[in-house]
Every structure is written in structure tokens, then in C-alpha cells.
Amino acid sequence: MYDVTALGEILIDFTPCGKSQAGQCLFEQNPGGAPANVLACLSKHGKQTAFIGKVGKDMHGAFLKSVLEESSIATEGLVEDGNVFTTLAFVALSDTGERNFSFARKPGADTCLTQEELKEDIIRESKILHIGSLSLTTEPSRGTTIKALQIAKEAGCIISYDPNYRAPLWDSKEAAVAGMRSVVGYVDVMKISDEETALLTDEEAPEAAAKKLVEEGVPLVAVTLGSKGALVCTKEGSAIVPGYQANMVDTTGAGDSFWGGFLERLLESGKKPCEVTLEEAVLFASFGNAVASLCVEKRGAIPAMPTLEEVQARMKEK
């Protein structure tokens, strides 16, 4: 039995790392991809996790597989394909640590996972199936994701969703809106950022957006608010959960680390999302905020995931 299985992209984030002697930008090879980042956080805290996705049979794919293995994330669902290249993301960081992405993904291996390659038993043996929206951008990964959701629903898994909007990977904003909304009907617990509210609900305000998702059938919703923390919403209402002080270095993986922490607390509660009270959701988000505050103090995503002891120490600082 796995606590959480994630399906979607695993890739290389090439993050700026100073200048060469010739004055050219140097990039650091960091393992990433939102679904894999979430698993790395959970695994770091002792949860049993598995990844389903595809990499190229190349140096980057071999590196990513080794990172998963070193992170104690099961790789039986990871396919290595010699016909496609591992997806690469080049990240530009502003002075405040905010990111801008450029992708090498035409196609990238992550979009090429087929339904025939899907390890269905891994999903059925999982308490939670977590997905993002990047696997919904194109076929065959779109159809594979839908199939995985159907298997998870039939097996009684909790379905977790973080849209993680990346504009360059969609044909248009309209296609992104339609694609990201297409799976909401499957979802039990969902995270969006304050920049994604209108894309998912037509509501700009986080509280209104979260309330609309709950009304549409998602029983437990969180909206991340950057340094301000997060908003959580259940059928009881909504609440703002303040963030923690952090010495920001790199925001890559911040939302994923928050969500890893949130899902960890959900697992520890032993409850289904529809059973979670607003008070409990606040506690889940506070833990997630502490995780994220530590993640942003280091470079990269997977390498920056904090230990449980570090999170507990950060929470005591308040």
C-alpha cells in the first residue's frame, strides 16, 4: 500500500547559478516537476510514495530515476523511452526569487506516457492519487491521466489535484482553462494559487474561487497566497492561514512543498476530505506553510525539501 502515488511530469529545472568567467549565465541541474516534488516532500517525512510517468532513456532521465530512488520514491511506474527526450525547464529568477519558465518539450517524455504503459496496480494500492495539469496539455498523456483518474475513483482512492498553470505549455489560454477544468469532477482535495483562481472558477478573489470549487463538489480546497500564507475552504466556510517568515532564495517548489505538507496532515488525520472540518484544514495548511517557508530558503525543488524535524522547529518559532 502506498500513501501517495503521483502521475505526471518529472523533469530537469535548469536554474541560474551565477556567471562564468566569460560573463555567461551558469545553470544548475535541479530535479523537479510538480508531482515529483510533492512526493519528495512526503517521502522525506516517511510516507510511502510512488511515481508514474515517463523520462527519456538519456543522461537526464537516468539522473531523475536515481533521484527518485535516493528519495525512496518507488519507480516501478516510471517508463524510460529511447524515442523521446527527458523534458527540460530553464528557469529565470527575478531579484525577489520569482520564476519565469522556458521549456524544451516538443514533445517531452512526460507527455508521451500511454494508457498501455500505465501501471494500474500501483494506483489501486494507493490511498491518494495526485495529479497536476501538465499531463493534460496533450495526447497521449491526457488520455492516460483520465484513465488513471477513473481507476483511482473506482478503487476508492482520494484524488488530489494541483493545476500548476504554465502558459507556454498550452496552445492558448482558452485551451488551458478547458483542460484544467476538465478533471475537477474527479477531485476530492485541490490546491490552486492566487494567480489561478479565475482560470479555474471565473472568480478572481481567493475566497470566492474556493467557495465555488466546494460548491462544484470538491470538499476540501486550499488557495496559496505566496508569503501571506494560504486560504482553506470546506463546506463550513473559509479561513486565512498566515505564512511563516522566510529568507527567500528560490520559490521553485514552494507550492508543491506546501501541498506535500498538507497531504501529509490529511493522511495523518485518517479522514476523507469530505470529513475534514475547517479547523482541521487550518492546521493542515499551517503545517504546509511551515514546509514551504523552509523550501524557499534553498535552491531547487526536490533538493530543498525540509525534514520533519526542521518543519516542527519552524512551527515552534511562531
PDB file of all heavy atoms in Angstrom, residues 291-317:
ATOM      1  N   VAL A 291       6.377  24.072   5.921  1.00  0.00           N
ATOM      2  CA  VAL A 291       7.193  23.324   4.963  1.00  0.00           C
ATOM      3  C   VAL A 291       7.667  24.251   3.847  1.00  0.00           C
ATOM      4  O   VAL A 291       8.851  24.286   3.495  1.00  0.00           O
ATOM      5  CB  VAL A 291       6.412  22.134   4.376  1.00  0.00           C
ATOM      6  CG1 VAL A 291       7.255  21.417   3.324  1.00  0.00           C
ATOM      7  CG2 VAL A 291       6.000  21.154   5.470  1.00  0.00           C
ATOM      8  N   ALA A 292       6.739  25.025   3.284  1.00  0.00           N
ATOM      9  CA  ALA A 292       7.071  25.911   2.163  1.00  0.00           C
ATOM     10  C   ALA A 292       8.066  26.985   2.566  1.00  0.00           C
ATOM     11  O   ALA A 292       8.951  27.356   1.789  1.00  0.00           O
ATOM     12  CB  ALA A 292       5.801  26.548   1.612  1.00  0.00           C
ATOM     13  N   SER A 293       7.947  27.494   3.794  1.00  0.00           N
ATOM     14  CA  SER A 293       8.855  28.560   4.243  1.00  0.00           C
ATOM     15  C   SER A 293      10.293  28.070   4.307  1.00  0.00           C
ATOM     16  O   SER A 293      11.240  28.847   4.125  1.00  0.00           O
ATOM     17  CB  SER A 293       8.417  29.086   5.613  1.00  0.00           C
ATOM     18  OG  SER A 293       8.697  28.152   6.651  1.00  0.00           O
ATOM     19  N   LEU A 294      10.472  26.792   4.566  1.00  0.00           N
ATOM     20  CA  LEU A 294      11.818  26.206   4.586  1.00  0.00           C
ATOM     21  C   LEU A 294      12.300  25.884   3.174  1.00  0.00           C
ATOM     22  O   LEU A 294      13.475  26.069   2.855  1.00  0.00           O
ATOM     23  CB  LEU A 294      11.811  24.936   5.436  1.00  0.00           C
ATOM     24  CG  LEU A 294      11.675  25.182   6.946  1.00  0.00           C
ATOM     25  CD1 LEU A 294      11.179  23.936   7.653  1.00  0.00           C
ATOM     26  CD2 LEU A 294      13.018  25.628   7.528  1.00  0.00           C
ATOM     27  N   CYS A 295      11.395  25.415   2.323  1.00  0.00           N
ATOM     28  CA  CYS A 295      11.765  25.060   0.950  1.00  0.00           C
ATOM     29  C   CYS A 295      12.344  26.255   0.199  1.00  0.00           C
ATOM     30  O   CYS A 295      13.337  26.126  -0.519  1.00  0.00           O
ATOM     31  CB  CYS A 295      10.544  24.507   0.220  1.00  0.00           C
ATOM     32  SG  CYS A 295      10.821  24.084  -1.515  1.00  0.00           S
ATOM     33  N   VAL A 296      11.724  27.433   0.361  1.00  0.00           N
ATOM     34  CA  VAL A 296      12.153  28.602  -0.413  1.00  0.00           C
ATOM     35  C   VAL A 296      13.484  29.168   0.059  1.00  0.00           C
ATOM     36  O   VAL A 296      14.052  30.052  -0.584  1.00  0.00           O
ATOM     37  CB  VAL A 296      11.082  29.719  -0.396  1.00  0.00           C
ATOM     38  CG1 VAL A 296       9.777  29.216  -0.982  1.00  0.00           C
ATOM     39  CG2 VAL A 296      10.877  30.276   1.011  1.00  0.00           C
ATOM     40  N   GLU A 297      14.015  28.651   1.157  1.00  0.00           N
ATOM     41  CA  GLU A 297      15.296  29.144   1.665  1.00  0.00           C
ATOM     42  C   GLU A 297      16.477  28.415   1.039  1.00  0.00           C
ATOM     43  O   GLU A 297      17.630  28.730   1.352  1.00  0.00           O
ATOM     44  CB  GLU A 297      15.336  29.000   3.188  1.00  0.00           C
ATOM     45  CG  GLU A 297      14.352  29.938   3.890  1.00  0.00           C
ATOM     46  CD  GLU A 297      14.424  29.867   5.399  1.00  0.00           C
ATOM     47  OE1 GLU A 297      14.958  28.866   5.936  1.00  0.00           O
ATOM     48  OE2 GLU A 297      13.963  30.829   6.051  1.00  0.00           O
ATOM     49  N   LYS A 298      16.185  27.440   0.150  1.00  0.00           N
ATOM     50  CA  LYS A 298      17.237  26.704  -0.565  1.00  0.00           C
ATOM     51  C   LYS A 298      16.956  26.726  -2.055  1.00  0.00           C
ATOM     52  O   LYS A 298      15.852  27.009  -2.489  1.00  0.00           O
ATOM     53  CB  LYS A 298      17.309  25.259  -0.064  1.00  0.00           C
ATOM     54  CG  LYS A 298      17.684  25.118   1.405  1.00  0.00           C
ATOM     55  CD  LYS A 298      17.718  23.657   1.814  1.00  0.00           C
ATOM     56  CE  LYS A 298      18.056  23.500   3.286  1.00  0.00           C
ATOM     57  NZ  LYS A 298      18.054  22.062   3.700  1.00  0.00           N
ATOM     58  N   ARG A 299      17.943  26.377  -2.838  1.00  0.00           N
ATOM     59  CA  ARG A 299      17.812  26.358  -4.284  1.00  0.00           C
ATOM     60  C   ARG A 299      17.204  25.038  -4.753  1.00  0.00           C
ATOM     61  O   ARG A 299      17.416  23.990  -4.152  1.00  0.00           O
ATOM     62  CB  ARG A 299      19.173  26.550  -4.947  1.00  0.00           C
ATOM     63  CG  ARG A 299      19.850  27.865  -4.599  1.00  0.00           C
ATOM     64  CD  ARG A 299      21.244  27.943  -5.188  1.00  0.00           C
ATOM     65  NE  ARG A 299      21.189  27.887  -6.643  1.00  0.00           N
ATOM     66  CZ  ARG A 299      20.938  28.942  -7.416  1.00  0.00           C
ATOM     67  NH1 ARG A 299      20.722  30.109  -6.869  1.00  0.00           N
ATOM     68  NH2 ARG A 299      20.906  28.823  -8.719  1.00  0.00           N
ATOM     69  N   GLY A 300      16.452  25.117  -5.867  1.00  0.00           N
ATOM     70  CA  GLY A 300      15.871  23.917  -6.437  1.00  0.00           C
ATOM     71  C   GLY A 300      14.591  23.532  -5.729  1.00  0.00           C
ATOM     72  O   GLY A 300      14.082  24.233  -4.863  1.00  0.00           O
ATOM     73  N   ALA A 301      14.039  22.366  -6.116  1.00  0.00           N
ATOM     74  CA  ALA A 301      12.783  21.899  -5.543  1.00  0.00           C
ATOM     75  C   ALA A 301      13.004  20.638  -4.707  1.00  0.00           C
ATOM     76  O   ALA A 301      13.009  20.687  -3.480  1.00  0.00           O
ATOM     77  CB  ALA A 301      11.765  21.647  -6.656  1.00  0.00           C
ATOM     78  N   ILE A 302      13.224  19.514  -5.358  1.00  0.00           N
ATOM     79  CA  ILE A 302      13.429  18.261  -4.626  1.00  0.00           C
ATOM     80  C   ILE A 302      14.580  18.367  -3.622  1.00  0.00           C
ATOM     81  O   ILE A 302      14.441  17.936  -2.472  1.00  0.00           O
ATOM     82  CB  ILE A 302      13.633  17.088  -5.611  1.00  0.00           C
ATOM     83  CG1 ILE A 302      12.313  16.796  -6.350  1.00  0.00           C
ATOM     84  CG2 ILE A 302      14.128  15.830  -4.888  1.00  0.00           C
ATOM     85  CD1 ILE A 302      12.405  15.700  -7.399  1.00  0.00           C
ATOM     86  N   PRO A 303      15.723  18.962  -3.989  1.00  0.00           N
ATOM     87  CA  PRO A 303      16.820  19.061  -3.010  1.00  0.00           C
ATOM     88  C   PRO A 303      16.503  19.968  -1.821  1.00  0.00           C
ATOM     89  O   PRO A 303      17.187  19.901  -0.797  1.00  0.00           O
ATOM     90  CB  PRO A 303      17.971  19.647  -3.839  1.00  0.00           C
ATOM     91  CG  PRO A 303      17.616  19.404  -5.261  1.00  0.00           C
ATOM     92  CD  PRO A 303      16.128  19.475  -5.312  1.00  0.00           C
ATOM     93  N   ALA A 304      15.488  20.816  -1.957  1.00  0.00           N
ATOM     94  CA  ALA A 304      15.188  21.808  -0.920  1.00  0.00           C
ATOM     95  C   ALA A 304      14.129  21.344   0.076  1.00  0.00           C
ATOM     96  O   ALA A 304      13.821  22.073   1.026  1.00  0.00           O
ATOM     97  CB  ALA A 304      14.729  23.111  -1.572  1.00  0.00           C
ATOM     98  N   MET A 305      13.565  20.150  -0.114  1.00  0.00           N
ATOM     99  CA  MET A 305      12.501  19.700   0.787  1.00  0.00           C
ATOM    100  C   MET A 305      13.051  19.485   2.200  1.00  0.00           C
ATOM    101  O   MET A 305      14.036  18.781   2.391  1.00  0.00           O
ATOM    102  CB  MET A 305      11.862  18.413   0.258  1.00  0.00           C
ATOM    103  CG  MET A 305      11.146  18.587  -1.072  1.00  0.00           C
ATOM    104  SD  MET A 305       9.802  19.791  -0.973  1.00  0.00           S
ATOM    105  CE  MET A 305       9.456  20.041  -2.732  1.00  0.00           C
ATOM    106  N   PRO A 306      12.405  20.101   3.198  1.00  0.00           N
ATOM    107  CA  PRO A 306      12.923  20.016   4.569  1.00  0.00           C
ATOM    108  C   PRO A 306      12.549  18.709   5.257  1.00  0.00           C
ATOM    109  O   PRO A 306      11.613  18.008   4.848  1.00  0.00           O
ATOM    110  CB  PRO A 306      12.243  21.196   5.258  1.00  0.00           C
ATOM    111  CG  PRO A 306      10.930  21.329   4.544  1.00  0.00           C
ATOM    112  CD  PRO A 306      11.231  20.987   3.101  1.00  0.00           C
ATOM    113  N   THR A 307      13.246  18.390   6.317  1.00  0.00           N
ATOM    114  CA  THR A 307      12.917  17.223   7.127  1.00  0.00           C
ATOM    115  C   THR A 307      11.747  17.553   8.051  1.00  0.00           C
ATOM    116  O   THR A 307      11.414  18.729   8.274  1.00  0.00           O
ATOM    117  CB  THR A 307      14.113  16.793   7.999  1.00  0.00           C
ATOM    118  OG1 THR A 307      14.386  17.846   8.944  1.00  0.00           O
ATOM    119  CG2 THR A 307      15.347  16.527   7.148  1.00  0.00           C
ATOM    120  N   LEU A 308      11.141  16.528   8.609  1.00  0.00           N
ATOM    121  CA  LEU A 308      10.037  16.720   9.547  1.00  0.00           C
ATOM    122  C   LEU A 308      10.514  17.492  10.776  1.00  0.00           C
ATOM    123  O   LEU A 308       9.797  18.369  11.287  1.00  0.00           O
ATOM    124  CB  LEU A 308       9.466  15.362   9.958  1.00  0.00           C
ATOM    125  CG  LEU A 308       8.272  15.374  10.918  1.00  0.00           C
ATOM    126  CD1 LEU A 308       7.120  16.179  10.349  1.00  0.00           C
ATOM    127  CD2 LEU A 308       7.836  13.940  11.220  1.00  0.00           C
ATOM    128  N   GLU A 309      11.726  17.200  11.239  1.00  0.00           N
ATOM    129  CA  GLU A 309      12.271  17.891  12.403  1.00  0.00           C
ATOM    130  C   GLU A 309      12.444  19.389  12.135  1.00  0.00           C
ATOM    131  O   GLU A 309      12.182  20.223  13.008  1.00  0.00           O
ATOM    132  CB  GLU A 309      13.614  17.270  12.806  1.00  0.00           C
ATOM    133  CG  GLU A 309      13.526  15.855  13.360  1.00  0.00           C
ATOM    134  CD  GLU A 309      13.227  14.806  12.287  1.00  0.00           C
ATOM    135  OE1 GLU A 309      13.501  15.075  11.090  1.00  0.00           O
ATOM    136  OE2 GLU A 309      12.713  13.731  12.663  1.00  0.00           O
ATOM    137  N   GLU A 310      12.886  19.728  10.930  1.00  0.00           N
ATOM    138  CA  GLU A 310      13.039  21.137  10.566  1.00  0.00           C
ATOM    139  C   GLU A 310      11.686  21.849  10.538  1.00  0.00           C
ATOM    140  O   GLU A 310      11.565  23.006  10.973  1.00  0.00           O
ATOM    141  CB  GLU A 310      13.722  21.248   9.202  1.00  0.00           C
ATOM    142  CG  GLU A 310      15.194  20.870   9.220  1.00  0.00           C
ATOM    143  CD  GLU A 310      15.804  20.794   7.832  1.00  0.00           C
ATOM    144  OE1 GLU A 310      15.076  20.421   6.871  1.00  0.00           O
ATOM    145  OE2 GLU A 310      16.995  21.095   7.699  1.00  0.00           O
ATOM    146  N   VAL A 311      10.676  21.157  10.041  1.00  0.00           N
ATOM    147  CA  VAL A 311       9.333  21.738   9.985  1.00  0.00           C
ATOM    148  C   VAL A 311       8.803  21.974  11.397  1.00  0.00           C
ATOM    149  O   VAL A 311       8.252  23.045  11.708  1.00  0.00           O
ATOM    150  CB  VAL A 311       8.372  20.834   9.191  1.00  0.00           C
ATOM    151  CG1 VAL A 311       6.954  21.415   9.200  1.00  0.00           C
ATOM    152  CG2 VAL A 311       8.851  20.665   7.756  1.00  0.00           C
ATOM    153  N   GLN A 312       8.954  20.996  12.251  1.00  0.00           N
ATOM    154  CA  GLN A 312       8.477  21.126  13.628  1.00  0.00           C
ATOM    155  C   GLN A 312       9.183  22.271  14.342  1.00  0.00           C
ATOM    156  O   GLN A 312       8.541  23.019  15.102  1.00  0.00           O
ATOM    157  CB  GLN A 312       8.686  19.799  14.361  1.00  0.00           C
ATOM    158  CG  GLN A 312       7.766  18.686  13.846  1.00  0.00           C
ATOM    159  CD  GLN A 312       8.144  17.317  14.364  1.00  0.00           C
ATOM    160  OE1 GLN A 312       9.276  17.093  14.796  1.00  0.00           O
ATOM    161  NE2 GLN A 312       7.193  16.387  14.322  1.00  0.00           N
ATOM    162  N   ALA A 313      10.466  22.432  14.086  1.00  0.00           N
ATOM    163  CA  ALA A 313      11.216  23.525  14.698  1.00  0.00           C
ATOM    164  C   ALA A 313      10.719  24.875  14.186  1.00  0.00           C
ATOM    165  O   ALA A 313      10.586  25.837  14.967  1.00  0.00           O
ATOM    166  CB  ALA A 313      12.717  23.368  14.411  1.00  0.00           C
ATOM    167  N   ARG A 314      10.426  24.979  12.898  1.00  0.00           N
ATOM    168  CA  ARG A 314       9.915  26.221  12.319  1.00  0.00           C
ATOM    169  C   ARG A 314       8.554  26.580  12.922  1.00  0.00           C
ATOM    170  O   ARG A 314       8.283  27.757  13.226  1.00  0.00           O
ATOM    171  CB  ARG A 314       9.816  26.071  10.800  1.00  0.00           C
ATOM    172  CG  ARG A 314       9.219  27.252  10.030  1.00  0.00           C
ATOM    173  CD  ARG A 314       9.950  28.562  10.233  1.00  0.00           C
ATOM    174  NE  ARG A 314      11.375  28.561   9.975  1.00  0.00           N
ATOM    175  CZ  ARG A 314      11.949  28.834   8.800  1.00  0.00           C
ATOM    176  NH1 ARG A 314      11.175  29.139   7.766  1.00  0.00           N
ATOM    177  NH2 ARG A 314      13.261  28.816   8.666  1.00  0.00           N
ATOM    178  N   MET A 315       7.726  25.587  13.163  1.00  0.00           N
ATOM    179  CA  MET A 315       6.395  25.849  13.710  1.00  0.00           C
ATOM    180  C   MET A 315       6.487  26.351  15.152  1.00  0.00           C
ATOM    181  O   MET A 315       5.641  27.124  15.596  1.00  0.00           O
ATOM    182  CB  MET A 315       5.522  24.604  13.627  1.00  0.00           C
ATOM    183  CG  MET A 315       5.224  24.166  12.195  1.00  0.00           C
ATOM    184  SD  MET A 315       4.093  22.768  12.089  1.00  0.00           S
ATOM    185  CE  MET A 315       2.523  23.578  12.445  1.00  0.00           C
ATOM    186  N   LYS A 316       7.511  25.958  15.853  1.00  0.00           N
ATOM    187  CA  LYS A 316       7.688  26.402  17.242  1.00  0.00           C
ATOM    188  C   LYS A 316       8.151  27.857  17.309  1.00  0.00           C
ATOM    189  O   LYS A 316       8.070  28.489  18.373  1.00  0.00           O
ATOM    190  CB  LYS A 316       8.703  25.515  17.954  1.00  0.00           C
ATOM    191  CG  LYS A 316       8.183  24.103  18.245  1.00  0.00           C
ATOM    192  CD  LYS A 316       9.247  23.266  18.926  1.00  0.00           C
ATOM    193  CE  LYS A 316       8.745  21.848  19.178  1.00  0.00           C
ATOM    194  NZ  LYS A 316       9.796  20.988  19.792  1.00  0.00           N
ATOM    195  N   GLU A 317       8.637  28.388  16.177  1.00  0.00           N
ATOM    196  CA  GLU A 317       9.126  29.765  16.158  1.00  0.00           C
ATOM    197  C   GLU A 317       8.000  30.779  16.257  1.00  0.00           C
ATOM    198  O   GLU A 317       8.228  31.928  16.604  1.00  0.00           O
ATOM    199  CB  GLU A 317       9.943  30.007  14.887  1.00  0.00           C
ATOM    200  CG  GLU A 317      11.234  29.212  14.822  1.00  0.00           C
ATOM    201  CD  GLU A 317      11.958  29.354  13.485  1.00  0.00           C
ATOM    202  OE1 GLU A 317      11.488  30.168  12.665  1.00  0.00           O
ATOM    203  OE2 GLU A 317      12.960  28.678  13.274  1.00  0.00           O
TER     204      GLU A 317
END
